[in-house]
Amino acid sequence: MNLRKELNELRQYRNAYLLAFAATTGYVCFGWDIGLIGGVLALPSFQQYFGLDKESAAARAALSGNIVSVLQAGGFFGAISSTWFASRYGRKPSLLGSAIVFIIGSTIQSIVGMGSSAAVGLKVLYFSRFLGGMGVGVMAAVVPTYVSECAPRAIRGRCTGSIEVAVGLGNMLSFWVNYGVALHIPVGEMQWRTPIIVQLIPGVLFFIFMLFQPESPRWLVERERYEDAAASLAYIARADPSSPAVQLTLSEIRADFVGRHKLSIVSQFRKMGENRIIALRCLIPSILTFFQQCTTATLLATGVYGVVKFVVTCLVLAFVIESWGRKRTLIYGGLAQGAMMLWIGGYAALHPQPTLVPATYVSIVAIYLFGVFFCLGWGFTPLVLGSEVAPGHLRPAVMSLASGTTWLFTYVIAQITPTMLARITWGTYVVFGVASVAMAAWVWAGVPETTGVPLEDVKWLFEGGDAVWVRFVQDAPGGRWVLGKRRAPGVEELKKADAAAATAGGGEGGGGGSDGHSDEEMSREKLRLSAVVVDDPLII
C-alpha cells in the first residue's frame, strides 16, 4: 500500500470513517470504565474516605471484587436488553440513550459519599457502577451492529475493527490518568474523584458525535422507510440517492428483509433455530467472543503493555485486516499467541526460582509479543467477523448474545485465573496456550472468509450442503493444498443458479412455491433482478 492510495481511500470513504469514529467513541467509554476502577480502588485516598484502610486485607479484596463485578453485571444485562432497544427504536437512538445512561452513572459515581455516610456512599457506588455498566453494555452490543451495517464492504473490517482501538485507547488513558492523579494530586477526595469525573469526557463526546450520524440503512429498510434508507446510504457512500451503487445496495437489503419486517424479540430468538445454517450463523459470533475471553490478556496488564497493544492494533487495522482477511488474522494470531503462552509456561515450569537467566529476557519479550499477536487477530477480529456472519434480520439479537457472552466470561475468567495461578501455577499459561492453538484450528475449518463480501451476500457462504465446509477450508491458509482438486462453488455462481431457479419457478408455477421456492423467495429475487448491477466498492 502506498501513501497516495491510502489518502485517496481516506478521502473517498471519509463519511464512513467519520461514522465509525463517532460510533466507536462509545468503546472508549467501555475501555475506560473497565480500566478505571482498579486504579481508583488502590488509591489511599479512596480507602481512607470509605474506611477501607481499617478493614482486613481479605475484606478489602472482597469489596474491591464486588465493585469491579457489579459493572460486569450491568454490562451483561445491558447487552442482553440491547436487542429490544436496537430493534424497536433503532441503532442510533439506542446508542444515544446508552450514552445518557453512562453519563448519569458516571456523574453519580463522581459524587458518591457527599452528604452521606461511607456505608451509604458504597451502596450508591454499587448502584451507579451497575447503571453505568448498563449503558456500556448497550454500547458494546449495538456499536458493532451499527458500524457493520453502515460501512462499505471495502473498509468494513477496518471500521468495525476500530472498536478495539477505542477499547485500547480508553483502557490506556484510564491507566495513565490514575497514575497521574496518584503522583500529582494530594491525598484527598479529589484524588479519587478526578479519574471518575474525567471519564465523563468520552461519554459526552460520544453523545455529541452520534447526533450527527445517520440511522442504519438496514434498520430503516426493516421499518419500510425506503427513502430514508436511500438517503442514509447516499450519505455514507457520498453519492446521490438515485446512483446505481445506492440503488443496488438498497434493493439487496430490501430483498433480504422480504417477509422479515419488524420481528418481535421473541420471534428473533425463535428464528435463530429456524434451520441448521441460520443456527450456525447465530452461534459463530458467541463462540468467537467466548474464545476471545479464553485468550485473556488479564494475566499481563500494565500501562506500557496497554500502549504496545494500542499501537499494534492501529497498525493492524491500517495495513492487515483488509489485505489478510478475517481467517488469516485469527489463525496466525491464535497460533503465534499460543506459542508465546506455551513458552512462558515452559519457562515458569523450568525456572520457578526468581533468578535471572538468559531465558528470562526472552520471556519478557514473549509477554509483549503475546500482546502484539493478540491484537493481530483475536483482539478485534471476533467482533468484525461476528457482526458480518450474523443474519441481517436477527443481527441485534445475535450480537446482544455475543456481547453478553463477552461480559459473562470476562467475569468467569477473572474469577478463575487467580485460582489457576495459585493451584497449577505455570500450567495456567499452558492451558491458555493450548486454547489459542485449538481456536486457530477451529477457525481454519469452521468459519467462512467474509472479507469484501456484501452483508446480504454472506448467507451464500453457508449454502451448498457439504460444500460449505469445503468453502471454509479452501479459504484458509493451506486449504487448497489439503483439498486437492475439490472446490466449492463461488458466491456469484450460487446467486446465478438461485436466480435461474426462482425465475423458472415463477414462470411455471404461477403462484410460486411449486418448485420449492416460496412467494417470499421469489419476491426477493424480483427485487434483485430489478437492480442495475454494478461493481462498485462503495456498495455496503
PDB file of all heavy atoms in Angstrom, residues 327-328 443-449 461 467-491 493-494:
ATOM      1  N   LYS A 327     -10.000 -14.741   8.413  1.00  0.00           N
ATOM      2  CA  LYS A 327      -9.496 -16.050   8.833  1.00  0.00           C
ATOM      3  C   LYS A 327      -7.998 -16.022   9.109  1.00  0.00           C
ATOM      4  O   LYS A 327      -7.532 -16.572  10.118  1.00  0.00           O
ATOM      5  CB  LYS A 327      -9.817 -17.106   7.759  1.00  0.00           C
ATOM      6  CG  LYS A 327     -11.279 -17.518   7.706  1.00  0.00           C
ATOM      7  CD  LYS A 327     -11.549 -18.460   6.554  1.00  0.00           C
ATOM      8  CE  LYS A 327     -10.993 -19.845   6.770  1.00  0.00           C
ATOM      9  NZ  LYS A 327     -11.848 -20.692   7.629  1.00  0.00           N
ATOM     10  N   ARG A 328      -7.233 -15.399   8.236  1.00  0.00           N
ATOM     11  CA  ARG A 328      -5.777 -15.399   8.417  1.00  0.00           C
ATOM     12  C   ARG A 328      -5.363 -14.659   9.686  1.00  0.00           C
ATOM     13  O   ARG A 328      -4.454 -15.093  10.400  1.00  0.00           O
ATOM     14  CB  ARG A 328      -5.090 -14.799   7.193  1.00  0.00           C
ATOM     15  CG  ARG A 328      -4.954 -15.776   6.048  1.00  0.00           C
ATOM     16  CD  ARG A 328      -4.304 -15.153   4.821  1.00  0.00           C
ATOM     17  NE  ARG A 328      -3.933 -16.179   3.848  1.00  0.00           N
ATOM     18  CZ  ARG A 328      -4.776 -16.794   3.041  1.00  0.00           C
ATOM     19  NH1 ARG A 328      -6.066 -16.465   3.085  1.00  0.00           N
ATOM     20  NH2 ARG A 328      -4.368 -17.727   2.209  1.00  0.00           N
ATOM     21  N   VAL A 443     -11.077 -22.074  13.627  1.00  0.00           N
ATOM     22  CA  VAL A 443     -11.278 -21.046  12.608  1.00  0.00           C
ATOM     23  C   VAL A 443     -10.872 -21.580  11.233  1.00  0.00           C
ATOM     24  O   VAL A 443     -11.529 -21.307  10.223  1.00  0.00           O
ATOM     25  CB  VAL A 443     -10.466 -19.775  12.955  1.00  0.00           C
ATOM     26  CG1 VAL A 443     -10.467 -18.801  11.787  1.00  0.00           C
ATOM     27  CG2 VAL A 443     -11.042 -19.114  14.196  1.00  0.00           C
ATOM     28  N   TRP A 444      -9.800 -22.363  11.181  1.00  0.00           N
ATOM     29  CA  TRP A 444      -9.314 -22.901   9.908  1.00  0.00           C
ATOM     30  C   TRP A 444     -10.403 -23.708   9.191  1.00  0.00           C
ATOM     31  O   TRP A 444     -10.581 -23.589   7.980  1.00  0.00           O
ATOM     32  CB  TRP A 444      -8.088 -23.782  10.173  1.00  0.00           C
ATOM     33  CG  TRP A 444      -7.348 -24.209   8.942  1.00  0.00           C
ATOM     34  CD1 TRP A 444      -6.375 -23.531   8.262  1.00  0.00           C
ATOM     35  CD2 TRP A 444      -7.526 -25.444   8.225  1.00  0.00           C
ATOM     36  NE1 TRP A 444      -5.933 -24.241   7.185  1.00  0.00           N
ATOM     37  CE2 TRP A 444      -6.628 -25.432   7.131  1.00  0.00           C
ATOM     38  CE3 TRP A 444      -8.351 -26.560   8.404  1.00  0.00           C
ATOM     39  CZ2 TRP A 444      -6.537 -26.488   6.227  1.00  0.00           C
ATOM     40  CZ3 TRP A 444      -8.264 -27.613   7.510  1.00  0.00           C
ATOM     41  CH2 TRP A 444      -7.360 -27.573   6.438  1.00  0.00           C
ATOM     42  N   ALA A 445     -11.162 -24.486   9.956  1.00  0.00           N
ATOM     43  CA  ALA A 445     -12.140 -25.379   9.331  1.00  0.00           C
ATOM     44  C   ALA A 445     -13.591 -24.969   9.550  1.00  0.00           C
ATOM     45  O   ALA A 445     -14.476 -25.468   8.846  1.00  0.00           O
ATOM     46  CB  ALA A 445     -11.947 -26.806   9.875  1.00  0.00           C
ATOM     47  N   GLY A 446     -13.852 -24.047  10.494  1.00  0.00           N
ATOM     48  CA  GLY A 446     -15.233 -23.849  10.923  1.00  0.00           C
ATOM     49  C   GLY A 446     -15.883 -22.512  10.650  1.00  0.00           C
ATOM     50  O   GLY A 446     -17.056 -22.341  10.981  1.00  0.00           O
ATOM     51  N   VAL A 447     -15.166 -21.544  10.047  1.00  0.00           N
ATOM     52  CA  VAL A 447     -15.781 -20.247   9.769  1.00  0.00           C
ATOM     53  C   VAL A 447     -15.440 -19.810   8.343  1.00  0.00           C
ATOM     54  O   VAL A 447     -14.407 -20.211   7.801  1.00  0.00           O
ATOM     55  CB  VAL A 447     -15.329 -19.156  10.771  1.00  0.00           C
ATOM     56  CG1 VAL A 447     -15.704 -19.516  12.188  1.00  0.00           C
ATOM     57  CG2 VAL A 447     -13.840 -18.901  10.674  1.00  0.00           C
ATOM     58  N   PRO A 448     -16.290 -18.984   7.729  1.00  0.00           N
ATOM     59  CA  PRO A 448     -16.032 -18.532   6.366  1.00  0.00           C
ATOM     60  C   PRO A 448     -15.141 -17.300   6.325  1.00  0.00           C
ATOM     61  O   PRO A 448     -14.911 -16.649   7.347  1.00  0.00           O
ATOM     62  CB  PRO A 448     -17.438 -18.186   5.865  1.00  0.00           C
ATOM     63  CG  PRO A 448     -18.134 -17.683   7.095  1.00  0.00           C
ATOM     64  CD  PRO A 448     -17.586 -18.494   8.241  1.00  0.00           C
ATOM     65  N   GLU A 449     -14.650 -16.986   5.140  1.00  0.00           N
ATOM     66  CA  GLU A 449     -13.931 -15.732   4.911  1.00  0.00           C
ATOM     67  C   GLU A 449     -14.915 -14.712   4.362  1.00  0.00           C
ATOM     68  O   GLU A 449     -15.495 -14.911   3.294  1.00  0.00           O
ATOM     69  CB  GLU A 449     -12.782 -15.948   3.918  1.00  0.00           C
ATOM     70  CG  GLU A 449     -12.011 -14.680   3.591  1.00  0.00           C
ATOM     71  CD  GLU A 449     -11.464 -14.006   4.838  1.00  0.00           C
ATOM     72  OE1 GLU A 449     -10.517 -14.546   5.433  1.00  0.00           O
ATOM     73  OE2 GLU A 449     -12.020 -12.940   5.210  1.00  0.00           O
ATOM     74  N   LEU A 461     -22.225 -17.870   1.571  1.00  0.00           N
ATOM     75  CA  LEU A 461     -21.042 -18.585   2.044  1.00  0.00           C
ATOM     76  C   LEU A 461     -21.413 -19.840   2.820  1.00  0.00           C
ATOM     77  O   LEU A 461     -20.577 -20.720   3.035  1.00  0.00           O
ATOM     78  CB  LEU A 461     -20.184 -17.669   2.929  1.00  0.00           C
ATOM     79  CG  LEU A 461     -19.649 -16.387   2.287  1.00  0.00           C
ATOM     80  CD1 LEU A 461     -18.923 -15.549   3.330  1.00  0.00           C
ATOM     81  CD2 LEU A 461     -18.726 -16.721   1.120  1.00  0.00           C
ATOM     82  N   ALA A 467     -20.645 -28.748   0.652  1.00  0.00           N
ATOM     83  CA  ALA A 467     -19.647 -27.845   0.063  1.00  0.00           C
ATOM     84  C   ALA A 467     -19.341 -26.661   0.976  1.00  0.00           C
ATOM     85  O   ALA A 467     -18.351 -25.967   0.767  1.00  0.00           O
ATOM     86  CB  ALA A 467     -20.131 -27.343  -1.292  1.00  0.00           C
ATOM     87  N   VAL A 468     -20.195 -26.428   1.980  1.00  0.00           N
ATOM     88  CA  VAL A 468     -19.951 -25.327   2.925  1.00  0.00           C
ATOM     89  C   VAL A 468     -18.594 -25.501   3.583  1.00  0.00           C
ATOM     90  O   VAL A 468     -17.785 -24.561   3.652  1.00  0.00           O
ATOM     91  CB  VAL A 468     -21.058 -25.277   3.997  1.00  0.00           C
ATOM     92  CG1 VAL A 468     -20.682 -24.311   5.106  1.00  0.00           C
ATOM     93  CG2 VAL A 468     -22.376 -24.868   3.373  1.00  0.00           C
ATOM     94  N   TRP A 469     -18.322 -26.708   4.083  1.00  0.00           N
ATOM     95  CA  TRP A 469     -17.060 -26.941   4.791  1.00  0.00           C
ATOM     96  C   TRP A 469     -15.881 -26.901   3.829  1.00  0.00           C
ATOM     97  O   TRP A 469     -14.786 -26.491   4.207  1.00  0.00           O
ATOM     98  CB  TRP A 469     -17.131 -28.283   5.534  1.00  0.00           C
ATOM     99  CG  TRP A 469     -18.374 -28.368   6.365  1.00  0.00           C
ATOM    100  CD1 TRP A 469     -19.450 -29.170   6.154  1.00  0.00           C
ATOM    101  CD2 TRP A 469     -18.697 -27.575   7.518  1.00  0.00           C
ATOM    102  NE1 TRP A 469     -20.422 -28.941   7.099  1.00  0.00           N
ATOM    103  CE2 TRP A 469     -19.989 -27.970   7.954  1.00  0.00           C
ATOM    104  CE3 TRP A 469     -18.030 -26.580   8.226  1.00  0.00           C
ATOM    105  CZ2 TRP A 469     -20.618 -27.405   9.060  1.00  0.00           C
ATOM    106  CZ3 TRP A 469     -18.647 -26.017   9.328  1.00  0.00           C
ATOM    107  CH2 TRP A 469     -19.923 -26.425   9.732  1.00  0.00           C
ATOM    108  N   VAL A 470     -16.118 -27.323   2.600  1.00  0.00           N
ATOM    109  CA  VAL A 470     -15.073 -27.205   1.584  1.00  0.00           C
ATOM    110  C   VAL A 470     -14.731 -25.739   1.366  1.00  0.00           C
ATOM    111  O   VAL A 470     -13.559 -25.359   1.259  1.00  0.00           O
ATOM    112  CB  VAL A 470     -15.514 -27.871   0.261  1.00  0.00           C
ATOM    113  CG1 VAL A 470     -14.466 -27.645  -0.835  1.00  0.00           C
ATOM    114  CG2 VAL A 470     -15.759 -29.361   0.465  1.00  0.00           C
ATOM    115  N   ARG A 471     -15.770 -24.882   1.298  1.00  0.00           N
ATOM    116  CA  ARG A 471     -15.547 -23.451   1.106  1.00  0.00           C
ATOM    117  C   ARG A 471     -14.777 -22.861   2.279  1.00  0.00           C
ATOM    118  O   ARG A 471     -13.882 -22.038   2.096  1.00  0.00           O
ATOM    119  CB  ARG A 471     -16.888 -22.740   0.921  1.00  0.00           C
ATOM    120  CG  ARG A 471     -16.763 -21.251   0.605  1.00  0.00           C
ATOM    121  CD  ARG A 471     -18.109 -20.590   0.394  1.00  0.00           C
ATOM    122  NE  ARG A 471     -18.814 -21.164  -0.737  1.00  0.00           N
ATOM    123  CZ  ARG A 471     -19.910 -21.922  -0.652  1.00  0.00           C
ATOM    124  NH1 ARG A 471     -20.412 -22.191   0.549  1.00  0.00           N
ATOM    125  NH2 ARG A 471     -20.488 -22.403  -1.717  1.00  0.00           N
ATOM    126  N   PHE A 472     -15.136 -23.257   3.498  1.00  0.00           N
ATOM    127  CA  PHE A 472     -14.430 -22.746   4.681  1.00  0.00           C
ATOM    128  C   PHE A 472     -12.948 -23.105   4.624  1.00  0.00           C
ATOM    129  O   PHE A 472     -12.089 -22.269   4.903  1.00  0.00           O
ATOM    130  CB  PHE A 472     -15.039 -23.333   5.957  1.00  0.00           C
ATOM    131  CG  PHE A 472     -16.419 -22.837   6.281  1.00  0.00           C
ATOM    132  CD1 PHE A 472     -17.108 -23.327   7.383  1.00  0.00           C
ATOM    133  CD2 PHE A 472     -17.043 -21.884   5.498  1.00  0.00           C
ATOM    134  CE1 PHE A 472     -18.385 -22.876   7.700  1.00  0.00           C
ATOM    135  CE2 PHE A 472     -18.317 -21.420   5.794  1.00  0.00           C
ATOM    136  CZ  PHE A 472     -18.991 -21.932   6.894  1.00  0.00           C
ATOM    137  N   VAL A 473     -12.663 -24.350   4.254  1.00  0.00           N
ATOM    138  CA  VAL A 473     -11.271 -24.815   4.245  1.00  0.00           C
ATOM    139  C   VAL A 473     -10.492 -24.202   3.085  1.00  0.00           C
ATOM    140  O   VAL A 473      -9.324 -23.820   3.244  1.00  0.00           O
ATOM    141  CB  VAL A 473     -11.220 -26.355   4.189  1.00  0.00           C
ATOM    142  CG1 VAL A 473      -9.794 -26.850   3.972  1.00  0.00           C
ATOM    143  CG2 VAL A 473     -11.790 -26.947   5.471  1.00  0.00           C
ATOM    144  N   GLN A 474     -11.109 -24.085   1.913  1.00  0.00           N
ATOM    145  CA  GLN A 474     -10.368 -23.592   0.756  1.00  0.00           C
ATOM    146  C   GLN A 474      -9.958 -22.131   0.915  1.00  0.00           C
ATOM    147  O   GLN A 474      -8.987 -21.684   0.286  1.00  0.00           O
ATOM    148  CB  GLN A 474     -11.187 -23.762  -0.526  1.00  0.00           C
ATOM    149  CG  GLN A 474     -12.314 -22.770  -0.718  1.00  0.00           C
ATOM    150  CD  GLN A 474     -13.118 -23.045  -1.982  1.00  0.00           C
ATOM    151  OE1 GLN A 474     -13.130 -24.156  -2.501  1.00  0.00           O
ATOM    152  NE2 GLN A 474     -13.798 -22.029  -2.475  1.00  0.00           N
ATOM    153  N   ASP A 475     -10.652 -21.397   1.777  1.00  0.00           N
ATOM    154  CA  ASP A 475     -10.289 -20.002   2.032  1.00  0.00           C
ATOM    155  C   ASP A 475      -9.260 -19.854   3.157  1.00  0.00           C
ATOM    156  O   ASP A 475      -8.833 -18.741   3.462  1.00  0.00           O
ATOM    157  CB  ASP A 475     -11.538 -19.183   2.381  1.00  0.00           C
ATOM    158  CG  ASP A 475     -12.457 -18.989   1.184  1.00  0.00           C
ATOM    159  OD1 ASP A 475     -11.957 -19.069   0.053  1.00  0.00           O
ATOM    160  OD2 ASP A 475     -13.663 -18.768   1.395  1.00  0.00           O
ATOM    161  N   ALA A 476      -8.884 -20.970   3.784  1.00  0.00           N
ATOM    162  CA  ALA A 476      -7.916 -20.935   4.881  1.00  0.00           C
ATOM    163  C   ALA A 476      -6.500 -21.124   4.342  1.00  0.00           C
ATOM    164  O   ALA A 476      -6.312 -21.686   3.256  1.00  0.00           O
ATOM    165  CB  ALA A 476      -8.241 -22.020   5.906  1.00  0.00           C
ATOM    166  N   PRO A 477      -5.481 -20.690   5.088  1.00  0.00           N
ATOM    167  CA  PRO A 477      -4.095 -20.913   4.655  1.00  0.00           C
ATOM    168  C   PRO A 477      -3.821 -22.403   4.475  1.00  0.00           C
ATOM    169  O   PRO A 477      -4.071 -23.206   5.371  1.00  0.00           O
ATOM    170  CB  PRO A 477      -3.275 -20.339   5.817  1.00  0.00           C
ATOM    171  CG  PRO A 477      -4.175 -19.359   6.485  1.00  0.00           C
ATOM    172  CD  PRO A 477      -5.551 -19.920   6.344  1.00  0.00           C
ATOM    173  N   GLY A 478      -3.330 -22.781   3.308  1.00  0.00           N
ATOM    174  CA  GLY A 478      -3.030 -24.184   3.027  1.00  0.00           C
ATOM    175  C   GLY A 478      -4.249 -25.017   2.708  1.00  0.00           C
ATOM    176  O   GLY A 478      -4.120 -26.222   2.429  1.00  0.00           O
ATOM    177  N   GLY A 479      -5.421 -24.421   2.696  1.00  0.00           N
ATOM    178  CA  GLY A 479      -6.651 -25.174   2.494  1.00  0.00           C
ATOM    179  C   GLY A 479      -6.762 -25.781   1.110  1.00  0.00           C
ATOM    180  O   GLY A 479      -7.204 -26.934   0.958  1.00  0.00           O
ATOM    181  N   ARG A 480      -6.379 -25.056   0.089  1.00  0.00           N
ATOM    182  CA  ARG A 480      -6.486 -25.568  -1.280  1.00  0.00           C
ATOM    183  C   ARG A 480      -5.559 -26.768  -1.495  1.00  0.00           C
ATOM    184  O   ARG A 480      -5.886 -27.691  -2.243  1.00  0.00           O
ATOM    185  CB  ARG A 480      -6.179 -24.449  -2.274  1.00  0.00           C
ATOM    186  CG  ARG A 480      -7.256 -23.359  -2.289  1.00  0.00           C
ATOM    187  CD  ARG A 480      -6.920 -22.212  -3.220  1.00  0.00           C
ATOM    188  NE  ARG A 480      -7.961 -21.202  -3.179  1.00  0.00           N
ATOM    189  CZ  ARG A 480      -9.016 -21.175  -3.982  1.00  0.00           C
ATOM    190  NH1 ARG A 480      -9.157 -22.103  -4.908  1.00  0.00           N
ATOM    191  NH2 ARG A 480      -9.938 -20.230  -3.878  1.00  0.00           N
ATOM    192  N   TRP A 481      -4.417 -26.733  -0.829  1.00  0.00           N
ATOM    193  CA  TRP A 481      -3.494 -27.869  -0.930  1.00  0.00           C
ATOM    194  C   TRP A 481      -4.103 -29.100  -0.260  1.00  0.00           C
ATOM    195  O   TRP A 481      -4.002 -30.213  -0.789  1.00  0.00           O
ATOM    196  CB  TRP A 481      -2.171 -27.501  -0.274  1.00  0.00           C
ATOM    197  CG  TRP A 481      -1.175 -28.618  -0.273  1.00  0.00           C
ATOM    198  CD1 TRP A 481      -0.384 -29.033  -1.309  1.00  0.00           C
ATOM    199  CD2 TRP A 481      -0.897 -29.511   0.815  1.00  0.00           C
ATOM    200  NE1 TRP A 481       0.388 -30.113  -0.931  1.00  0.00           N
ATOM    201  CE2 TRP A 481       0.095 -30.434   0.370  1.00  0.00           C
ATOM    202  CE3 TRP A 481      -1.379 -29.611   2.127  1.00  0.00           C
ATOM    203  CZ2 TRP A 481       0.598 -31.426   1.198  1.00  0.00           C
ATOM    204  CZ3 TRP A 481      -0.865 -30.604   2.946  1.00  0.00           C
ATOM    205  CH2 TRP A 481       0.106 -31.502   2.479  1.00  0.00           C
ATOM    206  N   VAL A 482      -4.740 -28.912   0.887  1.00  0.00           N
ATOM    207  CA  VAL A 482      -5.367 -30.034   1.593  1.00  0.00           C
ATOM    208  C   VAL A 482      -6.512 -30.623   0.778  1.00  0.00           C
ATOM    209  O   VAL A 482      -6.688 -31.846   0.709  1.00  0.00           O
ATOM    210  CB  VAL A 482      -5.879 -29.572   2.979  1.00  0.00           C
ATOM    211  CG1 VAL A 482      -6.724 -30.665   3.631  1.00  0.00           C
ATOM    212  CG2 VAL A 482      -4.719 -29.187   3.880  1.00  0.00           C
ATOM    213  N   LEU A 483      -7.290 -29.778   0.128  1.00  0.00           N
ATOM    214  CA  LEU A 483      -8.466 -30.236  -0.619  1.00  0.00           C
ATOM    215  C   LEU A 483      -8.127 -30.858  -1.960  1.00  0.00           C
ATOM    216  O   LEU A 483      -8.956 -31.567  -2.543  1.00  0.00           O
ATOM    217  CB  LEU A 483      -9.422 -29.061  -0.838  1.00  0.00           C
ATOM    218  CG  LEU A 483     -10.112 -28.500   0.402  1.00  0.00           C
ATOM    219  CD1 LEU A 483     -10.842 -27.218   0.059  1.00  0.00           C
ATOM    220  CD2 LEU A 483     -11.082 -29.519   1.003  1.00  0.00           C
ATOM    221  N   GLY A 484      -6.941 -30.593  -2.473  1.00  0.00           N
ATOM    222  CA  GLY A 484      -6.602 -31.098  -3.796  1.00  0.00           C
ATOM    223  C   GLY A 484      -7.419 -30.397  -4.865  1.00  0.00           C
ATOM    224  O   GLY A 484      -7.429 -29.170  -4.961  1.00  0.00           O
ATOM    225  N   LYS A 485      -8.171 -31.168  -5.640  1.00  0.00           N
ATOM    226  CA  LYS A 485      -8.974 -30.584  -6.731  1.00  0.00           C
ATOM    227  C   LYS A 485     -10.387 -30.215  -6.307  1.00  0.00           C
ATOM    228  O   LYS A 485     -11.140 -29.645  -7.096  1.00  0.00           O
ATOM    229  CB  LYS A 485      -9.035 -31.571  -7.898  1.00  0.00           C
ATOM    230  CG  LYS A 485      -7.671 -31.830  -8.546  1.00  0.00           C
ATOM    231  CD  LYS A 485      -7.809 -32.773  -9.735  1.00  0.00           C
ATOM    232  CE  LYS A 485      -6.458 -33.005 -10.405  1.00  0.00           C
ATOM    233  NZ  LYS A 485      -6.575 -33.921 -11.567  1.00  0.00           N
ATOM    234  N   ARG A 486     -10.769 -30.541  -5.091  1.00  0.00           N
ATOM    235  CA  ARG A 486     -12.127 -30.225  -4.634  1.00  0.00           C
ATOM    236  C   ARG A 486     -12.278 -28.720  -4.435  1.00  0.00           C
ATOM    237  O   ARG A 486     -11.424 -28.066  -3.828  1.00  0.00           O
ATOM    238  CB  ARG A 486     -12.433 -30.937  -3.327  1.00  0.00           C
ATOM    239  CG  ARG A 486     -12.516 -32.453  -3.427  1.00  0.00           C
ATOM    240  CD  ARG A 486     -12.906 -33.047  -2.096  1.00  0.00           C
ATOM    241  NE  ARG A 486     -14.239 -32.638  -1.682  1.00  0.00           N
ATOM    242  CZ  ARG A 486     -14.738 -32.844  -0.469  1.00  0.00           C
ATOM    243  NH1 ARG A 486     -13.989 -33.431   0.459  1.00  0.00           N
ATOM    244  NH2 ARG A 486     -15.964 -32.460  -0.169  1.00  0.00           N
ATOM    245  N   ARG A 487     -13.369 -28.164  -4.925  1.00  0.00           N
ATOM    246  CA  ARG A 487     -13.654 -26.747  -4.760  1.00  0.00           C
ATOM    247  C   ARG A 487     -15.156 -26.546  -4.556  1.00  0.00           C
ATOM    248  O   ARG A 487     -15.976 -27.279  -5.117  1.00  0.00           O
ATOM    249  CB  ARG A 487     -13.198 -25.925  -5.980  1.00  0.00           C
ATOM    250  CG  ARG A 487     -11.695 -25.883  -6.196  1.00  0.00           C
ATOM    251  CD  ARG A 487     -10.993 -25.078  -5.119  1.00  0.00           C
ATOM    252  NE  ARG A 487      -9.558 -25.016  -5.366  1.00  0.00           N
ATOM    253  CZ  ARG A 487      -8.677 -25.902  -4.926  1.00  0.00           C
ATOM    254  NH1 ARG A 487      -9.098 -26.934  -4.189  1.00  0.00           N
ATOM    255  NH2 ARG A 487      -7.402 -25.772  -5.188  1.00  0.00           N
ATOM    256  N   ALA A 488     -15.497 -25.548  -3.770  1.00  0.00           N
ATOM    257  CA  ALA A 488     -16.903 -25.191  -3.563  1.00  0.00           C
ATOM    258  C   ALA A 488     -17.302 -24.124  -4.565  1.00  0.00           C
ATOM    259  O   ALA A 488     -16.473 -23.287  -4.951  1.00  0.00           O
ATOM    260  CB  ALA A 488     -17.107 -24.686  -2.139  1.00  0.00           C
ATOM    261  N   PRO A 489     -18.562 -24.107  -5.011  1.00  0.00           N
ATOM    262  CA  PRO A 489     -18.999 -23.050  -5.927  1.00  0.00           C
ATOM    263  C   PRO A 489     -18.909 -21.680  -5.267  1.00  0.00           C
ATOM    264  O   PRO A 489     -19.109 -21.535  -4.058  1.00  0.00           O
ATOM    265  CB  PRO A 489     -20.453 -23.428  -6.239  1.00  0.00           C
ATOM    266  CG  PRO A 489     -20.869 -24.333  -5.121  1.00  0.00           C
ATOM    267  CD  PRO A 489     -19.639 -25.053  -4.692  1.00  0.00           C
ATOM    268  N   GLY A 490     -18.603 -20.655  -6.077  1.00  0.00           N
ATOM    269  CA  GLY A 490     -18.467 -19.304  -5.559  1.00  0.00           C
ATOM    270  C   GLY A 490     -19.807 -18.649  -5.296  1.00  0.00           C
ATOM    271  O   GLY A 490     -20.868 -19.159  -5.692  1.00  0.00           O
ATOM    272  N   VAL A 491     -19.764 -17.498  -4.650  1.00  0.00           N
ATOM    273  CA  VAL A 491     -20.979 -16.765  -4.299  1.00  0.00           C
ATOM    274  C   VAL A 491     -21.761 -16.382  -5.545  1.00  0.00           C
ATOM    275  O   VAL A 491     -22.981 -16.587  -5.627  1.00  0.00           O
ATOM    276  CB  VAL A 491     -20.635 -15.514  -3.463  1.00  0.00           C
ATOM    277  CG1 VAL A 491     -21.863 -14.607  -3.324  1.00  0.00           C
ATOM    278  CG2 VAL A 491     -20.127 -15.912  -2.084  1.00  0.00           C
ATOM    279  N   GLU A 493     -21.713 -17.717  -8.497  1.00  0.00           N
ATOM    280  CA  GLU A 493     -22.255 -18.911  -9.149  1.00  0.00           C
ATOM    281  C   GLU A 493     -23.525 -19.377  -8.456  1.00  0.00           C
ATOM    282  O   GLU A 493     -24.519 -19.729  -9.115  1.00  0.00           O
ATOM    283  CB  GLU A 493     -21.188 -20.011  -9.111  1.00  0.00           C
ATOM    284  CG  GLU A 493     -21.557 -21.263  -9.888  1.00  0.00           C
ATOM    285  CD  GLU A 493     -20.464 -22.308  -9.860  1.00  0.00           C
ATOM    286  OE1 GLU A 493     -19.328 -21.977  -9.450  1.00  0.00           O
ATOM    287  OE2 GLU A 493     -20.750 -23.463 -10.237  1.00  0.00           O
ATOM    288  N   LEU A 494     -23.521 -19.369  -7.118  1.00  0.00           N
ATOM    289  CA  LEU A 494     -24.706 -19.769  -6.362  1.00  0.00           C
ATOM    290  C   LEU A 494     -25.861 -18.795  -6.589  1.00  0.00           C
ATOM    291  O   LEU A 494     -27.022 -19.204  -6.707  1.00  0.00           O
ATOM    292  CB  LEU A 494     -24.369 -19.853  -4.869  1.00  0.00           C
ATOM    293  CG  LEU A 494     -23.483 -21.020  -4.431  1.00  0.00           C
ATOM    294  CD1 LEU A 494     -23.042 -20.833  -2.982  1.00  0.00           C
ATOM    295  CD2 LEU A 494     -24.230 -22.341  -4.584  1.00  0.00           C
TER     296      LEU A 494
END
